[in-house]
Amino acid sequence: MRRPYESMRGHFQQAAAQRGFTISASQQTAVERLSVLAGELAGGGGFFRRPAPPRNVYVWGPVGRGKSWLVDTFFEGLDTPHKRRLHFHDFFRQLHDGVSHAGQEPDRGPHRHSAVERAVDELLGNCRVLVFDEFHAHDAGDAMLVARLFHTLLERRIALVTTSNYPPSGLMPDPLYHHLFEPTIALIEARMDVLDVRGAKDFRQLRHMDASASRFAQGAALRAVDATALQRLGLAEPRPEEATAVPGHQRELPVRAVRGDLVWLGFGALCEGTTSVADCLALAERFGTVVLDGVPPLASCTADGRQRFANLVDVCCDRDVRLFLIGDDPLAGLPQSSALMRDLDRTASRLAMLQGAGAAVR
């Protein structure tokens, strides 16, 4: 165990040095636990030759505290091909599809696996280490599927490492539905080591993190449709005859224009319609640039509209898709202490990466 442990610790130190920052005190606890996990996984001469798998790891903290960097660095340093790293949005879409497909298969008798178990089998195969980035549970309609997923994963000999902006007790924050998720919270707390990486430093604000090198950060936020500003960014407002539809996830999505690698969308149709995270993922898979106009202050939107906007920002950032937003400041009118703002802190951090965020582009 000692050699893989020391190797992983050295890997973390080298990765931090290459990025030009020092691992913070709060991150160091996670580095230590993940390094121990690397040793536990390799114990006995190979992955999971031990009688039982080690405890799983749940890393949580506010946006910008390096959670994704921690688990990505851990993932890169693991010396095994039997590992998967997935953004929770991506995995959950695939799980939905897999459950739907599995549920259509013929009855296999009293010993058949559930649709969730069969879908997990199909998605993960011989995976022994699974890294989930940005796990969350907001949608009450998905609560039972998320719960069954966690039960299935934790019952198997799969090491699970996940990040979240929320402590386990903060999952499914809506008080009307929180009780539905309490058994899953109890399971997470019992079966996973919960690591708090809260700290004063927001690493996303440091220039040496190279955020400007990403395509997402090459996008911009414009506070009005200004032909001159659009032209400087290589954009032009769509003509009415350009309106069309593009394939989403099992549906057609109305768009204002498609120009090669670029899709131009309206906020009302995308965010206040019936679109899902899977639709955003379908757009990100096809297009390298997304333009969303008619963006209002999120305080004036429905809860579903705010969530769909946050989903689009999340997917574009994670898939490194260039994003242009046109309209009002989406965060205007949200007091920093409000529950809405706390739920959108990840979105706010990501919007801050865009050019002109918080001010008109001049």
Side-chain angles (χ1 to χ4, degrees):
M1 169 181 167
R2 194 71 189 171
R3 188 173 178 180
Y5 160 76
E6 292 172 347
S7 176
M8 182 61 76
R9 286 195 74 209
H11 177 63
F12 271 109
Q13 296 295 337
Q14 182 179 17
Q18 289 174 345
R19 288 291 194 100
F21 69 88
T22 302
I23 295 173
S24 69
S26 60
Q27 290 176 329
Q28 188 60 51
T29 301
V31 167
E32 184 68 19
R33 179 63 187 92
L34 292 170
S35 298
V36 169
L37 178 58
E40 292 171 335
L41 291 171
F47 272 67
F48 290 127
R49 293 186 185 177
R50 294 165 61 90
R55 285 178 60 82
N56 304 282
V57 176
Y58 183 106
V59 182
W60 78 275
V63 295
R65 270 44 180 193
K67 300 184 299 294
S68 295
W69 177 82
L70 285 165
V71 298
D72 286 349
T73 303
F74 167 75
F75 182 83
E76 292 162 2
L78 285 177
D79 185 20
T80 176
H82 305 301
K83 60 183 181 179
R84 295 284 302 276
R85 186 273 190 200
L86 294 164
H87 191 281
F88 191 69
H89 278 325
D90 287 321
F91 184 80
F92 205 61
R93 177 193 56 169
Q94 295 175 53
L95 181 66
H96 262 296
D97 291 346
V99 168
S100 177
H101 174 73
Q104 295 171 5
E105 294 183 3
D107 192 313
R108 299 184 180 184
H111 300 296
R112 70 186 185 279
H113 287 176
S114 73
V116 172
E117 291 171 323
R118 279 181 275 164
V120 169
D121 284 340
E122 184 175 333
L123 289 172
L124 298 183
N126 64 351
C127 171
R128 307 316 310 154
V129 184
L130 177 61
V131 174
F132 268 153
D133 196 18
E134 298 195 359
F135 171 68
H136 63 274
H138 286 290
D139 189 334
D142 290 334
M144 293 301 99
L145 182 55
V146 173
R148 190 69 193 96
L149 167 65
F150 258 78
H151 278 275
T152 299
L153 292 174
L154 295 178
E155 287 167 2
R156 298 180 178 216
R157 295 173 64 84
I158 296 176
L160 177 61
V161 176
T162 187
T163 72
S164 180
N165 288 349
Y166 306 89
S169 62
L171 297 169
M172 194 61 66
D174 190 327
L176 292 177
Y177 304 105
H178 183 75
H179 68 283
L180 297 174
F181 211 67
E182 286 178 344
T184 305
I185 292 170
L187 180 67
I188 290 171
E189 292 176 336
R191 300 283 296 277
M192 305 185 77
D193 287 340
V194 179
L195 307 180
D196 180 352
V197 295
R198 285 178 293 178
K201 184 183 294 184
D202 185 343
F203 286 88
R204 293 190 185 186
Q205 304 302 318
L206 302 181
R207 295 182 63 182
H208 55 241
M209 293 298 282
D210 293 331
S212 61
S214 72
R215 277 185 57 84
F216 178 80
Q218 294 169 16
L222 291 80
R223 297 296 167 248
V225 179
D226 181 304
T228 302
L230 290 176
Q231 187 175 22
R232 284 201 297 267
L233 295 168
L235 303 172
E237 189 172 8
R239 301 181 302 276
E241 60 269 22
E242 289 185 274
T244 185
V246 299
H249 179 67
Q250 301 178 349
R251 77 180 81 199
E252 292 287 304
L253 301 176
V255 302
R256 295 194 61 196
V258 172
R259 298 168 183 164
D261 186 49
L262 179 149
V263 62
W264 193 303
L265 305 146
F267 182 94
L270 183 76
C271 299
E272 295 292 8
T274 57
T275 52
S276 65
V277 173
D279 293 314
C280 295
L281 288 165
L283 292 171
E285 287 168 359
R286 178 176 174 184
F287 299 102
T289 299
V290 172
V291 182
L292 183 70
D293 68 12
V295 177
L298 293 179
S300 67
C301 299
T302 65
D304 287 343
R306 286 191 294 271
Q307 187 60 57
R308 293 188 185 104
F309 176 80
N311 292 341
L312 177 67
V313 174
D314 281 348
V315 168
C316 286
C317 186
D318 187 64
R319 291 299 186 89
D320 205 22
V321 171
R322 193 168 56 153
L323 176 65
F324 293 97
L325 302 175
I326 303 172
D328 293 318
D329 179 354
L331 304 179
L334 291 174
Q336 290 298 313
S337 60
S338 73
L340 287 181
M341 193 64 231
R342 287 196 299 275
D343 210 35
L344 290 168
D345 57 355
R346 182 177 70 248
T347 305
S349 178
R350 291 179 162 182
L351 292 178
M353 298 167 64
L354 302 177
Q355 303 172 46
V361 173
R362 294 183 174 86

